[in-house]
Amino acid sequence: MLLPESMSRIVIVGTKSRMEDAINAFYSEKSIHIIDHTTGDDGLSIGTTTEATSKASERLIKVRSMEKELGINKHTKTADIAVEEVQSRISAGDVEGVEDEVLKTVDARNDLTQKITELNSKKNTFELLKRLNELTLDQYSGYKSLAVLVGTTTDDASSVSIEDAEVFSSFDKKEGGVVAVFVKKENKEKAFAALADVGFTEIQVPACTEKVAANEACAKIDAEIEAANAEIEKCNQTLEELKEKYMSFLKGCDEELAIVVEKGSVPLRIAVSKYSYVIDAWVPTKKMDSVKANLERKLGDDIYVEFQETRGRKVEETEAQEPRFQNVPVKQNNGRIVCEYEYATSLVSVPKYNEIDPTFLIAIFLPLFFGFMVGDMGYAIPFIILGAYGLKKTKHKDWRAIALVLFFGGIWAFIFGLFFYGEMLGMHFVGGEWEAGTWVWHENHVAVGGTTVSWDWILGAQFPSWFTDAICSVGAWGQEDPNTFGVGVGKLEDVAFLLKLSVYIGVIHLLIGLVCALVNVTKQHGVKEAILEKGGIVFVFFGIIFLCLALTDMMFSKLELTGGTPLIELVLAIVCLVIGIVLNAKAEGGMQAIMSLPEVIGWILSYTRLAAITMSKAGMALAFNYIIFGMIMTTKATGNFQDGVEIVAFDPMGGVIMLIVGILLFCFLHLVVWTLGILSAGLHALRLQFVELMMRFYEGGGEAFAPLSEVRKKTFFSKNANNIKEV
Amino acid sequence: MATAGTEGLIAIGAGLAVGLAGLGSGLAEKDIGAAAVGAITENPSLFGRAMIFTVLPETIVIFGLVIAIMAIFVM
């Protein structure tokens, strides 16, 4: 089914004393989506969390802060741990025990870091005082009537004259100056004023009673810093050991406690009275009966489950409900492979409950368009390998989505490359034709002085006919095109054909979108409304197609519009356009009806990007192949002539160095084309889904189905299949 | 059909059609792109919608391409 899963609403009533068991039972069902209770005049209030929950959340904060200190994050690989072990260790107070151990070391480390900062600042001062080598450190302090001014200067302070003072100074043009002034306390201000002229900035000298020179003190501090650093190293080592010892437990605790806290906060979303609780919830309709039976089996008389409604897709049905029951959660209804593409849909929005989920269409067309645009066997193989590897290895949803498109897109690219374009690494398999018993190269082939390279020329042998017969060509499509180019559709030669094909693909793709739009409105409102709302645009769409057919017949095929097929097309176009515009004008107003005409042309022409990107890739590959095989690697004359030009053959053994350079360059340049292929083909294929297809019918904005369920990655149940206490 | 003398002019015209249309697309897309990146930084879930808005002006260059192809194949 293209629509999201059908949902039913239930009411669950139970006794408050068994609420914890009931919540565990809800979690084990994995299909109960709670509707948040809003306080009203029904005499019920919102529940409160239990004491155990507050304790668990306190512990969770402790665990998370320890994880941060120890550098344990979501990328840290740890062994899985049994839930029972985590639970018993938590209740035995292990979290607090580990916290003590970790905090002790972390505190010690912080103290040491603090100490080093202080020592460094002291050292910086002493480094300056080293330059005043006639003074020892004890001389800077301990005076009754003297003030000591120590600081840095920007100019030389030796010329400063201060009354009744002794000045020691040192000056260096690069490093600036240091000055120590010993002056009577009453003259301190004067000394400051005099020093201000040389850009004086005071520094505080740490008090020292020992008679040591500044450089000796510096050496002592260095030793202390070194010792402190060694201590820090030890602490780090201890922390590393603690991390190794406890990381599995801590990650297990994080997960277990988060689940406990989440379960504990369920009462905040439901209604409670003095002795009971009431829950409104959505359940997938097909699981209704099993959920009811399971809950009643587990909780017996302590629970009562009542079915309320199965919500239909009609808008009136939804609008008749009270506001909090109007939004139905959406559970997308896709198979195993298609559901991998749900991520692509969610990039735009979650679908609404009563509209078609476009994931199925994306799953078909995204890889198909990607494959059509890449269309090369040589590029397809690495795509398939990379995609398969990605799907096997990665769990991250972004990478999975990319790997998925690469894998399926790669398969399509292989099919298109082999059977449709007959091409590998930008070169056709076949580069000539049998004509009257001789092999004739195409006129723009590198063998006869042209630019295109083909595999049969490189290999020096013709492919067997069963192989070449499997590859289609434009002629095989019943098109007597004068530009028909040998075996396989030429990306740069059969341009007109590829463009036409792109437009036809676009018409089909858009038509699917419009049909989905009609279905959506029919489901939501009814057939009459669907025709009134979307019928107009469908008629305009067909009208424009017939008009374009008539115009192309006139312009390309040079047919007269006054008779035959072009006339029929023109009449059909006018009829469809008139009906479409009238319907549109009725639904959306006259202006909108006229505006939709050029819009439709824009939608269709947008698909010519399929051909354009195919051509751009082929153009690059052609240029690179010509550089490598036509200009770098060697060729030899065969002595045979075709139309007066001597045929040359590929001669890999002609120059070994050139052969190696050529192969290296070949790998590098094709890697460039291949990488650009991912970007442009991938992005444009996605755009055609998002813009051209989904904007025809998709509204989105639904609320994703979020049932109560435990997400366990690091913990597992070892003894029982589940942790629900059976009643 | 074009004569040998006008073929060059047709090629120049086709080139101009694609080139100028590309320039127009680029100008339109630059502002949307900048705003889209800003929006995605704030809220990564807007990626899909941001991408739709960013690529909308690309259709302009497709029009240019169609005109170029018509110039080459029809004239």
Side-chain angles (χ1 to χ4, degrees):
Chain A
M1 269 297 281
L2 291 169
L3 286 167
E5 259 188 53
S6 166
M7 287 282 167
S8 295
R9 186 158 61 83
I10 55 171
V11 171
I12 304 169
V13 183
T15 50
K16 222 168 156 186
S17 54
R18 296 286 308 278
M19 192 153 80
E20 209 170 311
D21 290 337
I23 290 172
N24 278 332
F26 299 157
Y27 268 82
S28 69
E29 288 305 317
K30 295 190 171 126
S31 43
I32 298 175
H33 177 107
I34 290 187
I35 304 168
D36 288 356
H37 175 72
T38 45
T39 45
D41 49 4
D42 48 9
L44 295 167
S45 59
I46 291 172
T48 50
T49 54
T50 56
E51 202 177 311
T53 312
S54 8
K55 185 73 193 162
S57 50
E58 202 179 292
R59 279 182 173 141
L60 186 59
I61 292 171
K62 281 180 187 166
V63 167
R64 296 228 165 122
S65 89
M66 275 189 274
E67 283 179 330
K68 195 162 178 273
E69 290 291 356
L70 296 177
I72 302 171
N73 53 39
K74 60 179 177 178
H75 302 298
T76 314
K77 287 206 167 95
T78 58
D80 291 354
I81 184 166
V83 178
E84 295 81 1
E85 190 189 333
V86 176
Q87 282 170 344
S88 67
R89 283 175 71 177
I90 290 175
S91 43
D94 264 20
V95 172
E96 285 74 13
V98 177
E99 192 197 17
D100 283 347
E101 239 177 294
V102 173
L103 277 191
K104 208 168 71 187
T105 320
V106 170
D107 285 347
R109 191 178 61 179
N110 290 347
D111 289 348
L112 286 166
T113 319
Q114 173 75 20
K115 188 178 167 190
I116 289 177
T117 318
E118 282 165 17
L119 285 172
N120 271 330
S121 98
K122 218 168 169 184
K123 189 184 157 191
N124 287 342
T125 314
F126 291 164
E127 287 285 347
L128 286 171
L129 298 182
K130 255 168 127 179
R131 288 162 59 189
L132 306 174
N133 47 14
E134 54 269 67
L135 295 168
T136 52
L137 291 178
D138 59 318
Q139 288 172 322
Y140 289 100
S141 56
Y143 302 104
K144 270 184 188 165
S145 55
L146 277 183
V148 186
L149 304 178
V150 185
T152 56
T153 58
T154 49
D155 292 323
D156 191 358
S158 57
S159 55
V160 176
S161 67
I162 303 167
E163 206 182 329
D164 284 344
E166 192 161 0
V167 178
F168 298 87
S169 72
S170 151
F171 184 74
D172 184 280
K173 268 190 180 167
K174 260 191 192 165
E175 295 172 12
V178 186
V179 65
V181 177
F182 296 80
V183 64
K184 276 188 182 168
K185 272 191 176 161
E186 53 268 32
N187 288 344
K188 194 178 166 188
E189 290 308 313
K190 279 185 193 164
F192 262 127
L195 284 170
D197 295 339
V198 288
F200 177 74
T201 315
E202 194 176 8
I203 51 172
Q204 294 299 325
V205 181
C208 180
T209 49
E210 282 175 64
K211 189 177 174 65
V212 283
N215 50 3
E216 285 169 40
C218 276
K220 206 173 150 195
I221 290 175
D222 277 339
E224 278 179 53
I225 292 177
E226 209 172 303
N229 274 329
E231 285 288 315
I232 287 186
E233 198 45 49
K234 256 190 220 168
C235 288
N236 284 339
Q237 224 167 0
T238 318
L239 286 174
E240 200 53 43
E241 281 162 18
L242 288 173
K243 179 181 170 183
E244 282 301 314
K245 192 171 165 191
Y246 293 122
M247 63 184 180
S248 174
F249 171 64
L250 285 175
K251 281 192 98 171
C253 275
D254 189 333
E255 194 168 284
E256 172 64 21
L257 289 168
I259 290 170
V260 172
V261 171
E262 194 194 308
K263 280 182 180 174
S265 58
V266 169
L268 295 173
R269 301 173 60 192
I270 64 179
V272 292
S273 68
K274 200 171 176 187
Y275 300 110
S276 59
Y277 61 87
V278 183
I279 300 175
D280 292 297
W282 290 106
V283 182
T285 307
K286 63 182 181 193
K287 287 199 174 161
M288 244 299 293
D289 294 333
S290 71
V291 166
K292 191 170 189 269
N294 285 343
L295 290 180
E296 282 170 355
R297 182 173 55 82
K298 284 175 183 166
L299 292 136
D301 288 340
D302 292 323
I303 201 159
Y304 172 71
V305 182
E306 191 180 277
F307 167 78
Q308 295 289 308
E309 55 154 340
T310 292
R311 182 63 57 85
R313 316 283 175 172
K314 285 264 183 288
V315 172
E316 304 91 80
E317 211 176 304
T318 300
E319 280 169 354
Q321 299 288 339
E322 61 175 285
R324 76 190 183 104
F325 300 141
Q326 282 184 359
N327 261 345
V328 187
V330 173
K331 185 165 189 254
Q332 285 161 273
N333 196 3
N334 296 309
R336 222 182 110 231
I337 294 173
V338 177
C339 80
E340 295 274 9
Y341 287 92
E342 283 175 5
Y343 176 68
T345 314
S346 72
L347 283 178
V348 179
S349 176
V350 175
K352 284 199 300 188
Y353 179 66
N354 50 8
E355 73 179 346
I356 288 174
D357 176 5
T359 311
F360 179 69
L361 296 171
I362 292 178
I364 295 173
F365 287 106
L366 182 62
L368 182 73
F369 288 175
F370 180 84
F372 184 82
M373 284 189 268
V374 173
D376 189 297
M377 221 176 103
Y379 301 140
I381 294 166
F383 278 138
I384 297 172
I385 295 170
L386 199 69
Y389 179 77
L391 283 176
K392 195 162 178 255
K393 287 280 168 195
T394 181
K395 289 212 166 68
H396 194 277
K397 53 184 182 175
D398 292 15
W399 292 113
R400 274 195 84 77
I402 293 170
L404 197 72
V405 176
L406 290 187
F407 181 71
F408 287 104
I411 291 176
W412 277 115
F414 188 90
I415 294 170
F416 277 115
L418 180 58
F419 299 114
F420 187 71
Y421 298 111
E423 204 173 288
M424 187 159 84
L425 297 174
M427 293 177 277
H428 280 285
F429 291 112
V430 184
E433 277 165 80
W434 276 105
E435 270 175 32
T438 50
W439 184 258
V440 181
W441 295 106
H442 293 134
E443 59 183 24
N444 57 351
H445 198 280
V446 81
V448 285
T451 48
T452 57
V453 187
S454 63
W455 283 101
D456 53 0
W457 180 75
I458 293 173
L459 300 172
Q462 261 99 57
F463 287 96
S465 62
W466 59 265
F467 177 76
T468 49
D469 287 349
I471 304 169
C472 70
S473 60
V474 175
W477 291 65
Q479 311 252 335
E480 289 309 321
D481 197 315
N483 294 319
T484 301
F485 178 76
V487 179
V489 176
K491 287 176 181 172
L492 294 168
E493 293 83 6
D494 302 319
V495 178
F497 169 73
L498 276 180
L499 276 174
K500 269 189 231 165
L501 186 64
S502 305
V503 169
Y504 288 134
I505 293 174
V507 168
I508 295 168
H509 201 222
L510 285 167
L511 202 59
I512 292 173
L514 289 170
V515 169
C516 288
L518 280 171
V519 173
N520 270 349
V521 185
T522 311
K523 291 264 175 203
Q524 290 162 6
H525 299 282
V527 181
K528 195 182 149 199
E529 285 79 1
I531 290 170
L532 279 177
E533 191 183 329
K534 298 288 178 186
I537 201 72
V538 175
F539 276 107
V540 169
F541 181 71
F542 280 111
I544 293 285
I545 291 172
F546 286 127
L547 189 66
C548 288
L549 281 174
L551 288 177
T552 41
D553 278 346
M554 188 186 81
M555 290 199 301
F556 289 85
S557 313
K558 309 285 177 204
L559 294 176
E560 289 295 322
L561 265 184
T562 47
T565 330
L567 184 68
I568 300 169
E569 286 163 352
L570 191 67
V571 172
L572 280 173
I574 293 169
V575 172
C576 286
L577 283 175
V578 169
I579 300 174
I581 290 173
V582 169
L583 279 172
N584 266 352
K586 210 174 162 192
E588 293 169 39
M591 198 60 203
Q592 206 65 28
I594 305 292
M595 290 281 283
S596 65
L597 295 178
E599 225 176 36
V600 173
I601 301 176
W603 300 345
I604 299 173
L605 287 186
S606 189
Y607 284 84
T608 52
R609 75 184 67 228
L610 287 173
I613 286 163
T614 311
M615 281 161 65
S616 72
K617 293 277 130 359
M620 278 168 75
L622 172 86
F624 291 159
N625 286 331
Y626 179 66
I627 290 171
I628 293 155
F629 293 103
M631 294 159 85
I632 292 177
M633 291 200 185
T634 47
T635 49
K636 62 178 179 205
T638 55
N640 299 327
F641 285 85
Q642 179 183 322
D643 298 336
V645 183
E646 189 173 16
I647 301 171
V648 290
F650 181 52
D651 181 23
M653 292 304 141
V656 178
I657 296 172
M658 282 308 177
L659 181 72
I660 295 168
V661 171
I663 291 172
L664 288 177
L665 204 62
F666 183 76
C667 295
F668 172 72
L669 293 177
H670 279 286
L671 190 68
V672 173
V673 184
W674 184 81
T675 319
L676 285 175
I678 302 181
L679 285 178
S680 57
L683 214 59
H684 283 274
L686 195 63
R687 177 221 145 98
L688 287 175
Q689 315 306 319
F690 281 1
V691 182
E692 269 67 30
L693 176 74
M694 277 157 76
M695 275 172 75
R696 299 293 74 77
F697 68 95
Y698 188 64
E699 286 176 18
E703 179 195 356
F705 180 64
L708 298 177
S709 73
E710 293 175 8
V711 183
R712 290 192 185 272
K713 284 179 184 157
K714 285 280 142 199
T715 52
F716 59 91
F717 291 103
S718 60
K719 290 176 193 157
N720 306 315
N722 63 52
N723 68 333
I724 311 302
K725 276 183 267 170
E726 295 289 337
V727 183
Chain B
M1 250 340 197
T3 60
T6 54
E7 258 177 23
L9 286 174
I10 290 173
I12 291 173
L16 280 176
V18 174
L20 292 176
L23 207 62
S25 283
L27 282 173
E29 231 166 276
K30 106 187 154 171
D31 290 341
I32 307 174
V37 169
I40 297 168
T41 316
E42 290 274 328
N43 180 3
S45 71
L46 288 175
F47 174 82
R49 263 169 282 174
M51 193 189 123
I52 290 177
F53 287 128
T54 311
V55 298
L56 275 183
E58 264 176 25
T59 314
I60 303 171
V61 78
I62 303 282
F63 291 149
L65 179 81
V66 171
I67 297 297
I69 287 166
M70 281 176 71
I72 292 171
F73 289 96
V74 182
M75 286 175 81

